[in-house]
Amino acid sequence: VGLPSIIMQSIGSIMLLGYNAILAASATAVAVLGVYFKLQSFIFMPVFGLNQGAMPIMGYNFGARNKNRLMETYKKSLITALIIMAAGTILFHLFPQVFLKMFSADEAMLEMGIPALRIISLCFIPAAFGIITSTLFQGTGHGVYSLIGSLLRQLLVILPLAYIIYHLAGITASWVSFPLAELVGLTYSAIMLRVLYKKEIKNL
């Protein structure tokens, strides 16, 4: 469980480096990506805090073979995360200009950044499912499931997609790689959740 957690902490930085390399031809695009990552931390950090609080509860109840409390913790955590992420999505859609101006954005950055924040924020809600389901995987001793999910969401899918879309359709379209990667991660997490439930949780 520990080793995948260590690797997962570094994936975000590697992804940012890779995405910056893809956008290197446009300083404005790199700046927009940097602003997004600063802003999104305010949305994701409460969910990561929820993750850390829920994981031991899930683990204790899995060990105690208390299926009801295990799944209740998962469901309540997921609902809370979805509410937080939905609020973040709404804020990013309604006030992208306000957020960008907090970083002294000029007209070029506003022109590129407003659609970027709106498009990228579409990844928030599927990310909530991925993060909380990853918490369940770790709490039940399946850290590798979490690691694979994180690799898919933040590295193996998003960077190739960003590269391909950027060269085929331009910078604005390339931001779609964020929600598309999260949808792939959501699909993987849903499949593995079903496998885990049928194999180990159902008969607790």
Side-chain angles (χ1 to χ4, degrees):
V1 174
L3 182 59
S5 296
I6 294 169
I7 298 172
M8 285 161 61
Q9 291 297 317
S10 67
I11 290 173
S13 298
I14 296 170
M15 186 268 278
L16 183 58
L17 286 172
Y19 217 119
N20 276 335
I22 293 168
L23 301 175
S26 171
T28 302
V30 171
V32 168
L33 185 65
V35 168
Y36 163 73
F37 271 94
K38 291 179 177 68
L39 291 170
Q40 62 94 32
S41 65
F42 291 99
I43 309 299
F44 277 80
M45 287 308 292
V47 178
F48 290 140
L50 179 67
N51 168 352
Q52 295 302 311
M55 192 185 303
I57 299 173
M58 291 178 183
Y60 296 151
N61 285 287
F62 181 71
R65 303 185 66 81
N66 191 333
K67 180 178 74 173
N68 291 336
R69 285 196 68 190
L70 169 63
M71 295 311 296
E72 180 185 3
T73 303
Y74 171 74
K75 289 173 184 175
K76 288 184 176 179
S77 299
L78 179 58
I79 290 168
T80 304
L82 287 171
I83 291 170
I84 293 169
M85 291 300 204
T89 304
I90 292 168
L91 289 173
F92 271 58
H93 274 258
L94 293 180
F95 307 111
Q97 187 170 355
V98 174
F99 292 141
L100 289 165
K101 284 188 174 180
M102 291 167 58
F103 296 87
S104 303
D106 58 20
E107 287 302 316
M109 191 170 173
L110 287 172
E111 184 179 353
M112 184 179 293
I114 289 173
L117 294 187
R118 286 176 173 156
I119 292 169
I120 299 172
S121 65
L122 295 174
C123 79
F124 289 174
I125 292 176
F129 181 83
I131 293 168
I132 300 303
T133 304
S134 175
T135 304
L136 178 64
F137 294 154
Q138 290 179 275
T140 54
H142 296 281
V144 174
Y145 290 1
S146 294
L147 174 58
I148 294 171
S150 293
L151 285 170
L152 286 172
R153 291 171 44 239
Q154 300 184 64
L155 210 60
L156 299 179
V157 176
I158 190 170
L159 292 183
L161 275 178
Y163 181 85
I164 293 167
I165 297 172
Y166 172 76
H167 284 90
L168 289 179
I171 292 173
T172 300
S174 73
W175 305 122
V176 176
S177 59
F178 281 87
L180 289 179
E182 289 296 347
L183 287 175
V184 172
L186 184 152
T187 303
Y188 165 80
S189 296
I191 292 170
M192 298 313 298
L193 174 62
R194 182 177 175 82
V195 170
L196 175 63
Y197 186 84
K198 291 177 69 175
K199 184 178 177 181
E200 298 187 32
I201 297 175
K202 184 177 180 180
N203 297 317
L204 286 179

